[in-house]
Structure formats: structure tokens, C-alpha cells
Amino acid sequence: MNRRIVIAILSLGLFTAWPAIATPPYTAIIIDSGSPYFVPKSATVSSGTPVRWENPTATEHTITHIGCLEDPTACAFDSGIVLPNGNFTLPGLAPGRYPYLCRLHPIMYGIVTVTDSFAPSQL
Ligand SMILES: [Cu+2]
């Protein structure tokens, strides 16, 4: 086979494989201007799976764990301002329930439930 063709095929393989390597799987939550504001409002992920909020709205928002409002030591995550067309990604969280809201619009709230990778019934 012609060496150029072989190189072209190998290059094509590298380019098609690249996005899969560069982008780890994550669970996406889309911010919406109307109710329920976070889609899905209740998301369940297994521990180790990143969660990514995407903001396609024309407004700034935050993704703030409820614990941050009560006690800084109980704050699991706080995005700060997420700009329009911006996003906020959390690496994998420990198992638990994480209610959150938008500091700027507290009517916007949701919950992420992180399950253990191994359910007790499987042990
Ligand atoms: Cu908001």
C-alpha cells in the first residue's frame, strides 16, 4: 500500500479518537430561563462521574450547594458566576444528596444524588 495512504488512514484514526480521549463522559444539566430551571431538576449519577451545568440562557447564574449558605465548612461546591453560554463542571462527588440553587435567583433549585458505584446488594 502507498505510504501516503497509510499515513492518511493513521491520521484519520488519531483525529476521530481524539474527542473520546479529550472529553470524559459527564452528566449534563441544562439551565433554563423557565421552570423547572434546571433540566433535569433531579439528577442521579454514580460517584466518579463529572456533572456539568450548561448555561444557554442570556442571564448569569450560579450553581451553589445549599450547604454553602449555612456553613462554609458544609459547602460542597459553589460555581461563582456562570456567564451566558458558559458552563461549570464538577469532578466526581462523594456519594450523597446535594441540593443546590442559584444565588442570584433562589427560585431556581435542583438536586444531584450521587450513588455509590457498588450498591450494597451487589456485595
Ligand atoms: Cu440564576
Side-chain angles (χ1 to χ4, degrees):
M1 191 182 288
N2 184 310
R3 182 173 284 182
R4 277 190 188 162
I5 292 173
V6 172
I7 290 170
I9 290 170
L10 288 174
S11 300
L12 189 64
L14 284 174
F15 281 115
T16 54
W18 177 252
I21 295 167
T23 309
Y26 59 84
T27 295
I29 297 175
I30 311 301
I31 301 173
D32 197 352
S33 298
S35 179
Y37 304 108
F38 294 105
V39 182
K41 191 176 187 74
S42 176
T44 301
V45 303
S46 56
S47 61
T49 302
V51 181
R52 174 171 148 143
W53 283 264
E54 299 176 359
N55 181 13
T57 76
T59 312
E60 298 177 346
H61 300 285
T62 77
I63 310 300
T64 306
H65 178 227
I66 296 288
C68 309
L69 306 178
E70 299 158 356
D71 174 3
T73 63
C75 183
F77 53 84
D78 191 354
S79 65
I81 298 293
V82 179
L83 297 172
N85 297 314
N87 62 73
F88 171 62
T89 304
L90 274 179
L93 291 163
R97 288 163 53 81
Y98 299 90
Y100 64 90
L101 53 64
C102 171
R103 283 185 190 268
L104 306 176
H105 318 100
I107 195 173
M108 302 174 67
Y109 59 89
I111 186 166
V112 172
T113 302
V114 181
T115 61
D116 206 317
S117 297
F118 300 96
S121 61
Q122 294 175 317
L123 298 176

